[in-house]
C-alpha cells in the first residue's frame, strides 16, 4: 500500500512504498540522496552502497522522473536533521526502486517560488509550473475557500444551481463572447457575462436562496488584473433587502477569514462590523469608489473590507451619448413607481441613486450587487430610458418582462469574485497566480494555443466565411 510523504513521520521503523517525483537528486560520493515529492510534500530517500544494483539504478535518476520507492523509515542521524522540512527528522532507506516514467529536463526550476521566471514560459508549461509548492498551495487554499463558501451557504438554506454557458447576452457592460449556431445559420449564443438573468429567473421560480460558483465571460480590453473568464460566488435572495444581503456577506467573509486565515488581522468598526460608506463619502474623502481603508498599507496580513453603498443609478456614456446603468439595468433606482422614475430621470438623471452596493477589500473591488427592479413596467421604463427602442427591449429582454408578469418576488443579490479574493488572501501579485490555467494579459492560452484557427469544414458547418485574415 502507498504511504504519502507526509505520513512517513509516523512510520519510523516501518517498511513503506512511496510514489512521486524526483524533486532533487544529490550525489554524495558513495551515497545518493533523493528528495521525493508528492502532492503532500517532500521526503528524503537514501540509497546506500550496501545495495550495489539499487545504487546503480538510483544513479540514473534525474529531476522529475516518476518513481516507486520501497524502503524503511529511519530517524535521521542527530546532526543531519532538517528543521525546515516537515519530514526533516526522518529519511527513508531505500531497498527497492521502480522507475515509472522518465522526464525531459524541465525548462525552468521547479524548486523556487517561480516569480523570477518569465510568465510566457510559465504559462506555456503550466502543468510543470503548477508542480511548484507555491502554486500548488494557492490551488489548495482556493479549494478551501470555495468549500467554506459552499458549506456556509448550504447551512444557510441556499442551494447551488448551475445555469447555462450557452445563452443569450446579459448586459454587464462588457462585450460578449459569441458562439455560432450550426443548426440555426446566422444565429449565435452568447457566453454569460454573469448568470444575472438566470438567477433572477430562479427567484421567479420560487427558489428564494440561490448560489453558484459561476464562471463569467467578458470580452474586455486587456488589463493586468482581468481575465476573459473569471469565477464569482453568485448569490441571489428573495424577500430581502440591502441590510440582509450585506449582513449575510459580512458573516460569510468574516467567518471564512477567521476560520481559514487565523493569522490575518481584520480592520473593522469598533463594534466588529465591516464599515459601510456611501459612494459620495468615498469619492469626497478618498477620490475613489473603492477606498483602501487599511491602517497600515505595508502590512501584508491586514484585511480591510468595506461596503460602498448608494451608488448613482446612471452614468453618462459620452461615446454613445446616452445614460447607462452604473451597475446593470436590473438594479433598482430609488423610486416608488414608473411615474416618479420618468419625472426624476428627466429632471436629474445623474443624481438618482440606486439600491446598489460594492464590496471592497484593501482597495480592490471584490464584488458588487443590488436590489433588483421587480416591477415589469419599471424595468421596461429603465431599458427605454437607457436608449433602447421598445421593440429592442422586447427582443432582448422580452423573456424577463414576461416572466416578471407571473408573480416575481422582491429580490436582490451580490456576486463577489473568487480570483481576486484568493489573490489578496495569498498575497499574490495578480489573479493569474491563483487560477490553474489562466490566459495571458492579451487573452491567449499559451499551453493549448488558443484562440486558434479551425478547419474549413468546421467553418462551413457553422456558415462562417473569414473575410480577411489579419497578418
Ligand atoms: N451580476 C452582477 C455582476 O456580475 C452582480 C450582481 O448584481 O449580483 O457584477
Amino acid at each position: 500500500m502507498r504511504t504519502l510523504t507526509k505520513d512517513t513521520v509516523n512510520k519510523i521503523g516501518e517498511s513503506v512504498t512511496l510514489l512521486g517525483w524526483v524533486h532533487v537528486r544529490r550525489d554524495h560520493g558513495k551515497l545518493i540522496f533523493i528528495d521525493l515529492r508528492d502532492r503532500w510534500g517532500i521526503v528524503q530517500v537514501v540509497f546506500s552502497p550496501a545495495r550495489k544494483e539499487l545504487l546503480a539504478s538510483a544513479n540514473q535518476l534525474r529531476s522529475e522522473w516518476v518513481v516507486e520507492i520501497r524502503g524503511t523509515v529511519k530517524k535521521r542521524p542527530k546532526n543531519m536533521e532538517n528543521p525546515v522540512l516537515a519530514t526533516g527528522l526522518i529519511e527513508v532507506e531505500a531497498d527497492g526502486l521502480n522507475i515509472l516514467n522518465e522526464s525531459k529536463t524541465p525548462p525552468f526550476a521547479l524548486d523556487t517560488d517561480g516569480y523570477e521566471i518569465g510568465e510566457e514560459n510559465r504559462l506555456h508549461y503550466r502543468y510543470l509550473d503548477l508542480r511548484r509548492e507555491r502554486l500548488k498551495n494557492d490551488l489548495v487554499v482556493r479549494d478551501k475557500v470555495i468549500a467554506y463558501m459552499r458549506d456556509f451557504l448550504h447551512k444557510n438554506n441556499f442551494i447551488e444551481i448551475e445555469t447555462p454557458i450557452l445563452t443569450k447576452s446579459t448586459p454587464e457592460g462588457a462585450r460578449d463572447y459569441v458562439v455560432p449556431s450550426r443548426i440555426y445559420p446566422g444565429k449565435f449564443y452568447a457566453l454569460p457575462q454573469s448568470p444575472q438573468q438566470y438567477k433572477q429567473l430562479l427567484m421567479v421560480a420560487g427558489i428564494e436562496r440561490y448560489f453558484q460558483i459561476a464562471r463569467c465571460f467578458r470580452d474586455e480590453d486587456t488589463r493586468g488584473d482581468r481575465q476573459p473568464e473569471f469565477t464569482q460566488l453568485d448569490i441571489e435572495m428573495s424577500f430581502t433587502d440591502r441590510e440582509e444581503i450585506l449582513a449575510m456577506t459580512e458573516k460569510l467573509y468574516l467567518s471564512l477569514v477567521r476560520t481559514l486565515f487565523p493569522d490575518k488581522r481584520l480592520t473593522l468598526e469598533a463594534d466588529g462590523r465591516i464599515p459601510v460608506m456611501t459612494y459620495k463619502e468615498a469619492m469626497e474623502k478618498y477620490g475613489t469608489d473603492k477606498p483602501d481603508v487599511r491602517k497600515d498599507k505595508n502590512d501584508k496580513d491586514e484585511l480591510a473590507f468595506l461596503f460602498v453603498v448608494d451608488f448613482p443609478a446612471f452614468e453618462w456614456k459620452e461615446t454613445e451619448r446616452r445614460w447607462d446603468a452604473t451597475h446593470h439595468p436590473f438594479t433598482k433606482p430609488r423610486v416608488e413607481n414608473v411615474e416618479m422614475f420618468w419625472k426624476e430621470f428627466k429632471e436629474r438623471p445623474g443624481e438618482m441613486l440606486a439600491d446598489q452596493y460594492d464590496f471592497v477589500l484593501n482597495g480592490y473591488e471584490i464584488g458588487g450587487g443590488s436590489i433588483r427592479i421587480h416591477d415589469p413596467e419599471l424595468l421596461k421604463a429603465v431599458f427605454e430610458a437607457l436608449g433602447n427602442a421598445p421593440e429592442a427591449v422586447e427582443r432582448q429582454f422580452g423573456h424577463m418582462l414576461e416572466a416578471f408578469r407571473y408573480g416575481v418576488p422582491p429580490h436582490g443579490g451580490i456576486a463577489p469574485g473568487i480570483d481576486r479574493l484568493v489573490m489578496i488572501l495569498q498575497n499574490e501579485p495578480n489573479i493569474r497566480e491563483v487560477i490553474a490555467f489562466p490566459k495571458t494579459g492579451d487573452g491567449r492560452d499559451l499551453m493549448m494555443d488558443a484562440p486558434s484557427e479551425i478547419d474549413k469544414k468546421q467553418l462551413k458547418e457553422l456558415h462562417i466565411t473569414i473575410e480577411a485574415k489579419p497578418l
Side-chain angles (χ1 to χ4, degrees):
M1 210 184 66
R2 177 187 186 190
T3 298
L4 306 179
T5 55
K6 70 177 172 65
D7 296 330
T8 50
V9 287
N10 306 320
K11 298 202 179 252
I12 294 174
E14 290 179 40
S15 151
V16 293
T17 300
L18 304 168
L19 291 164
W21 286 259
V22 175
H23 192 58
V24 189
R25 189 190 67 131
R26 285 182 302 276
D27 226 323
H28 281 213
K30 287 183 188 149
L31 296 177
I32 292 177
F33 290 95
I34 300 285
D35 281 348
L36 184 85
R37 186 188 72 234
D38 64 13
R39 203 186 94 194
W40 292 269
I42 282 175
V43 69
Q44 174 167 292
V45 179
V46 203
F47 292 88
S48 78
R51 296 169 193 268
K52 269 216 179 86
E53 257 175 47
L54 189 61
L55 193 72
S57 47
N59 202 21
Q60 301 171 12
L61 295 177
R62 295 292 177 271
S63 287
E64 301 310 310
W65 285 27
V66 188
V67 290
E68 175 182 0
I69 292 174
R70 284 179 311 283
T72 308
V73 182
K74 302 223 157 137
K75 267 194 176 157
R76 290 198 199 185
K78 263 278 168 285
N79 48 0
M80 308 288 269
E81 292 163 342
N82 179 356
V84 182
L85 209 59
T87 59
L89 296 183
I90 59 106
E91 61 190 6
V92 175
E93 201 178 286
D95 53 45
L97 167 66
N98 186 10
I99 295 173
L100 301 177
N101 236 329
E102 299 185 4
S103 165
K104 285 168 73 177
T105 306
F108 42 66
L110 302 180
D111 56 354
T112 62
D113 63 23
Y115 293 119
E116 75 288 356
I117 302 162
E119 202 180 26
E120 294 244 327
N121 222 5
R122 286 181 51 206
L123 292 183
H124 186 106
Y125 296 100
R126 188 60 159 182
Y127 44 87
L128 295 180
D129 197 34
L130 290 174
R131 286 186 188 173
R132 74 181 73 254
E133 168 97 31
R134 174 176 66 90
L135 288 205
K136 206 185 300 163
N137 191 37
D138 283 343
L139 292 186
V140 168
V141 170
R142 185 185 174 109
D143 173 61
K144 283 197 178 133
V145 165
I146 290 176
Y148 190 93
M149 290 169 165
R150 284 207 159 103
D151 185 49
F152 178 97
L153 291 166
H154 282 140
K155 284 185 181 138
N156 283 277
N157 283 322
F158 285 81
I159 56 174
E160 182 164 22
I161 301 178
E162 293 160 89
T163 54
I165 296 296
L166 292 178
T167 177
K168 188 176 166 115
S169 177
T170 273
E172 297 277 0
R175 230 172 272 116
D176 291 319
Y177 281 101
V178 294
V179 178
S181 161
R182 178 180 59 82
I183 305 171
Y184 302 97
K187 296 203 170 172
F188 296 83
Y189 300 96
L191 306 185
Q193 291 187 34
S194 86
Q196 186 62 39
Q197 296 188 54
Y198 284 108
K199 68 173 172 176
Q200 291 194 240
L201 291 167
L202 286 170
M203 297 304 108
V204 182
I207 294 301
E208 299 207 23
R209 289 188 157 210
Y210 143 97
F211 83 98
Q212 179 179 193
I213 304 294
R215 198 66 63 81
C216 303
F217 305 86
R218 298 183 191 177
D219 187 358
E220 291 176 301
D221 288 335
T222 53
R223 242 208 252 156
D225 204 25
R226 276 189 181 160
Q227 284 279 305
E229 51 183 300
F230 59 91
T231 309
Q232 282 184 345
L233 169 60
D234 198 40
I235 293 177
E236 198 75 6
M237 297 159 80
S238 291
F239 307 111
T240 190
D241 55 21
R242 180 180 91 189
E243 278 58 46
E244 188 186 27
I245 293 169
L246 297 190
M248 206 267 317
T249 308
E250 171 178 54
K251 208 169 150 213
L252 166 56
Y253 280 75
L254 294 187
S255 66
L256 183 152
V257 169
R258 286 181 176 131
T259 310
L260 301 181
F261 302 88
D263 295 337
K264 300 271 180 193
R265 271 184 313 287
L266 287 159
T267 299
L268 299 166
E269 295 287 22
D271 61 1
R273 303 290 307 263
I274 291 179
V276 181
M277 196 181 281
T278 63
Y279 170 84
K280 188 160 176 281
E281 222 180 310
M283 294 307 285
E284 281 171 7
K285 233 167 123 184
Y286 297 90
T288 169
D289 59 3
K290 38 179 186 290
D292 185 348
V293 293
R294 277 178 293 177
K295 288 199 187 110
D296 176 2
K297 299 200 177 43
N298 297 316
D299 175 355
K300 68 180 178 62
D301 282 326
E302 181 179 354
L303 296 178
F305 288 103
L306 172 73
F307 290 117
V308 180
V309 301
D310 294 350
F311 273 77
F314 306 107
E315 58 191 11
W316 179 248
K317 234 184 177 173
E318 186 53 39
T319 45
E320 296 174 26
R321 305 212 47 79
R322 67 175 181 96
W323 288 95
D324 197 6
T326 308
H327 190 43
H328 52 57
F330 305 103
T331 297
K332 190 173 167 301
R334 210 163 283 160
V335 290
E336 303 287 314
N337 50 42
V338 181
E339 292 69 44
M340 186 173 162
F341 168 74
W342 280 122
K343 185 169 181 298
E344 297 213 5
F345 187 76
K346 281 180 184 141
E347 282 170 12
R348 45 176 203 103
E351 288 163 45
M352 293 175 74
L353 294 182
D355 278 326
Q356 178 202 331
Y357 29 83
D358 268 2
F359 192 25
V360 175
L361 173 59
N362 292 4
Y364 288 93
E365 183 199 319
I366 58 160
S370 61
I371 298 300
R372 326 298 185 188
I373 300 170
H374 66 274
D375 170 357
E377 298 317 313
L378 181 57
L379 186 58
K380 202 164 155 205
V382 168
F383 279 127
E384 289 177 17
L386 302 183
N388 301 291
E391 317 81 67
V393 173
E394 222 21 80
R395 194 176 60 244
Q396 284 184 55
F397 301 106
H399 56 282
M400 292 295 277
L401 297 171
E402 164 92 353
F404 278 24
R405 293 191 176 108
Y406 286 95
V408 55
H411 60 288
I414 191 164
I418 307 261
D419 309 299
R420 270 196 203 154
L421 174 72
V422 178
M423 171 191 94
I424 297 168
L425 290 170
Q426 290 295 89
N427 292 308
E428 288 290 12
N430 65 65
I431 58 172
R432 295 186 296 283
E433 303 293 337
V434 300
I435 297 174
F437 297 107
K439 304 218 169 20
T440 56
D442 55 0
R444 288 174 303 147
D445 180 332
L446 297 178
M447 187 183 67
M448 305 291 274
D449 185 27
S452 57
E453 284 160 3
I454 57 175
D455 65 37
K456 286 212 181 73
K457 185 168 165 266
Q458 251 177 317
L459 283 175
K460 196 158 185 269
E461 271 179 353
L462 295 170
H463 325 282
I464 292 177
T465 43
I466 305 292
E467 270 193 349
K469 207 167 157 192
L471 289 174

